[in-house]
Amino acid sequence: MVSETPAILPGWDLGGRYLSIFYDWHGHGTACASAIAGRGVVVPASVAPKDSLFARVVKPQPGMARDAIVVGVSGLLAGTEIGLLWAAGFDIAPDGTIRYSGKPRAKIISNSWAVLPIYEALTQLQGAIAFAPARVEGLDYIAILENMLSTPGLLDPSYPGVLIVQAAGNGGPGYGTVVTPAAAHRILTVGASTSYAYVKDIRGYGSATADDIAFFSARGPTPLGWVKPDVVNVGWASWTAAPIWAGGFDLFGGTSYATPLTAGVAALIYQVLPDADPQLVKQIIMSTADNIGYDVYSMGAGRVNAFKAVSLALELAGRESRAKVKPLIAYSVDAEKYYLEKVYQQWVWNAKSIIELMLNLIYIALEGKAKLKFKPYSVEPNMVKQYSLYIPDIEPGSTRETSFTIYNPTSKTAKLDVGVYWEKLVLDYEYNVTLQPVNPNITYTILVVPVDKLVDIDLLKVVFTVSYEIFDREHDYEPDYRFFLRLFGWKDVNGNGKVEIDELKYAGFSFQLSNQLVLAVSKPWRKLGDCDYLIISVTGIAINRTSEEIPARIRLLGYEIDSKAKWVSVTPTKTVLDPRSSKTFKVVVSVPKDA
């Protein structure tokens, strides 16, 4: 029976009528909460199962913002939209009106989830009944709802907005794989970078690299060309708290891990700037991210740097930071203007009708009528400042202009050299290899390449490919092999000519149900230059068949970051920013007729 009076009920009724059992059976939510606000408890190795890889590991579990208060909100299978609204400070009146309570229940909403099966099912049901809401990532109703909740003053004149930090998804490494609602342009979308230190703990490798894009991290752009993810953070992998039955701690990763780490950084910023606009917090995090050597559709503005972000917040608050290089903040007004010119009608349609309709689906299905409605509000998507640039569609032979601004909030003068960079292919090696059977289930090969071939390379991509005829012999979309690609640096420390595990530097891995795997390493000479050789290891695991010899190709692609972009120019290229002053730069994109 559906209640005649819609309401959001507390989890524990003090009158004794009900108690909601709210438990994280999988451990995913526990790990995310630990990443944000873990108190730094040391878990003894003795609590781990004896046969666990973690049995000899002892790790402290500090969160990014240990004084933060974390509230769990039920959702995903149902009630996600209501959960978002409740966390942002909205309630349901007895007449079913959704209205702002006067204060957000959280300043930050951390979402380590992506598109939902229930959402797909409801969309199909709605389409069968009448008309389907848009399923273009970034323009669907959940993405528009998150954009609206991220915007001060939109749903209510006194509403301050909340910062929504959203996982980009784990569907990489292909471009255009960011899903909804991560494609919403006003939220902070987080991809995953690497930190392989954990392999030393559980495998005994001599050392490991960091600051590459995890192979699974979803890439942009969105269908309409917006740059996503906004930033990346460590997503592969580290230790977090886990349920007691799992040993009290576990290895956790994915964009699900990168997201709460970033939410924790946002909490530190709010500690300095408690009344900050959520869009300002987003700009701070993006403006201070570290460039780790990838394209913007892979890393966004870069890997989150908590120290730099808090330093910039301190400077904006009028307090001197300890940063040696004083932080600046960048933003664009044109980006929002150009983007909204393209999506305005879709935004208004969702804001006026579809969000409310989808909130009422359960009532419509069970009682034939809607019961929830929003208090009248403006659906106009008022302008906000964005860190990202956005250039609308450009026809061959035409030119478009945009601009961005850099502000110096510090008491020091800043000298700027501004340029546009692109990746230039300068190395292309291809090797034919054969995977040999090791046993009835496994086939294997390695390729050894001198590291000195990687000198002057800014980005290395290793591409492993087998024929689709081998990967799926029956063409039934049921793979016959699962492949694993691993990358190591090796230095023969003891001079015996044998590869020993403590001589290896772990540099990455990739595995997917695909006939092609891609693994990238930025600044390979800096990360692996102390090694003599690059070792590429490929393992194939047979699925419902006996392993066999498999011919394959391994391609090494080397890119140089070139400052001479052919189609894009920026002016001025050099300037001086006085303390607490700003400068606006013009960007011109000219597309050749034969492009």
Side-chain angles (χ1 to χ4, degrees), residues 128-198:
I129 296 173
F131 54 92
R135 274 298 293 115
V136 177
E137 278 77 4
L139 293 183
D140 57 277
Y141 83 97
I142 292 185
I144 298 298
L145 176 60
E146 290 201 357
N147 277 336
M148 295 168 70
L149 291 174
S150 303
T151 307
L154 190 58
L155 291 169
D156 186 276
S158 63
Y159 175 59
V162 296
L163 178 69
I164 297 180
V165 187
Q166 186 82 42
N170 300 328
Y175 289 96
T177 48
V178 168
V179 294
T180 199
H185 76 292
R186 290 186 177 180
I187 67 174
L188 182 64
T189 302
V190 186
S193 62
T194 63
S195 176
Y196 290 117
Y198 73 92

Side-chain angles (χ1 to χ4, degrees), residues 2-51:
V2 180
S3 171
E4 286 296 321
T5 305
I8 300 174
L9 301 177
W12 187 345
D13 178 52
L14 298 182
R17 290 171 295 177
Y18 65 85
L19 173 65
S20 174
I21 303 299
F22 193 82
Y23 188 76
D24 180 25
W25 296 100
H26 185 273
H28 185 272
T30 300
C32 290
S34 169
I36 296 172
R39 297 301 196 254
V41 176
V42 176
V43 180
S46 59
V47 304
K50 291 182 179 180
D51 59 348

Side-chain angles (χ1 to χ4, degrees), residues 241-252:
I244 296 300
W245 58 262
F249 75 108
D250 205 346
L251 192 64
F252 187 58

Side-chain angles (χ1 to χ4, degrees), residues 260-547:
L261 286 179
T262 304
V265 174
L268 298 177
I269 294 171
Y270 274 119
Q271 191 173 14
V272 178
L273 298 169
D275 299 321
D277 180 319
Q279 296 301 317
L280 175 60
V281 178
K282 177 182 175 182
Q283 291 167 38
I284 290 171
I285 291 174
M286 295 182 71
S287 294
T288 54
D290 288 337
N291 183 338
I292 58 173
Y294 284 78
D295 60 273
V296 295
Y297 296 128
S298 297
M299 71 171 184
R303 196 251 304 128
V304 175
N305 186 313
F307 177 77
K308 289 182 180 178
V310 174
S311 296
L312 178 53
L314 287 168
E315 297 287 353
L316 289 168
R319 297 156 60 184
E320 194 79 15
S321 72
R322 297 181 182 179
K324 292 181 180 179
V325 178
K326 294 300 183 180
L328 308 176
I329 189 167
Y331 61 87
S332 170
V333 176
D334 286 351
E336 187 77 15
K337 179 181 70 175
Y338 289 144
Y339 188 74
L340 289 177
E341 286 176 359
K342 180 172 286 190
V343 306
Y344 176 80
Q345 289 184 330
Q346 188 71 42
W347 175 299
V348 172
W349 180 55
N350 273 283
K352 276 186 175 180
S353 306
I354 302 304
I355 294 173
E356 192 170 294
L357 173 66
M358 298 302 284
L359 287 171
N360 277 289
L361 273 184
I362 188 170
Y363 290 107
I364 294 172
L366 296 178
E367 298 189 5
K369 62 180 179 179
K371 289 192 172 183
L372 299 177
K373 59 182 180 295
F374 278 100
K375 180 182 177 181
Y377 61 86
S378 171
V379 298
E380 291 295 320
N382 51 314
M383 295 294 174
V384 299
K385 295 177 180 178
Q386 292 276 5
Y387 174 90
S388 297
L389 294 180
Y390 181 76
I391 306 291
D393 302 338
I394 307 176
E395 296 291 333
S398 62
T399 297
R400 296 294 294 264
E401 294 183 3
T402 187
S403 65
F404 66 92
T405 299
I406 297 179
Y407 172 63
N408 176 12
T410 75
S411 59
K412 307 292 184 182
T413 299
K415 295 182 179 180
L416 299 182
D417 289 323
V418 183
V420 181
Y421 298 85
W422 67 296
E423 296 173 359
K424 179 181 179 182
L425 182 65
V426 295
L427 178 150
D428 188 349
Y429 295 131
E430 186 170 303
Y431 302 88
N432 293 316
V433 298
T434 302
L435 282 74
Q436 299 287 348
V438 176
N439 59 43
N441 299 316
I442 296 175
T443 182
Y444 179 77
T445 192
I446 65 170
L447 175 66
V448 180
V449 180
V451 167
D452 58 16
K453 287 193 174 186
L454 308 180
V455 177
D456 299 328
I457 299 300
D458 294 311
L459 180 66
L460 173 69
K461 291 185 179 180
V462 180
V463 183
F464 166 79
T465 308
V466 298
S467 167
Y468 192 83
E469 298 295 328
I470 295 174
F471 176 71
D472 179 12
R473 294 182 185 276
E474 288 76 31
H475 289 254
D476 56 0
Y477 297 101
E478 294 289 338
D480 294 312
Y481 283 93
R482 178 190 290 270
F483 294 101
F484 295 79
L485 173 64
R486 293 179 176 87
L487 198 62
F488 306 91
W490 174 48
K491 185 174 183 62
D492 189 8
V493 177
N494 58 20
N496 66 358
K498 297 180 180 179
V499 177
E500 299 179 12
I501 195 166
D502 60 355
E503 296 176 337
L504 291 175
K505 176 178 284 189
Y506 197 91
F509 79 103
S510 173
F511 65 91
Q512 286 183 317
L513 284 176
S514 173
N515 68 316
Q516 185 174 85
L517 301 180
V518 180
L519 189 58
V521 178
S522 67
K523 305 176 179 66
W525 181 249
R526 192 183 75 183
K527 294 177 180 177
L528 301 172
D530 57 342
C531 300
D532 298 320
Y533 296 96
L534 177 71
I535 297 179
I536 302 166
S537 161
V538 182
T539 303
I541 298 179
I543 302 174
N544 298 322
R545 66 184 307 109
T546 301
S547 64

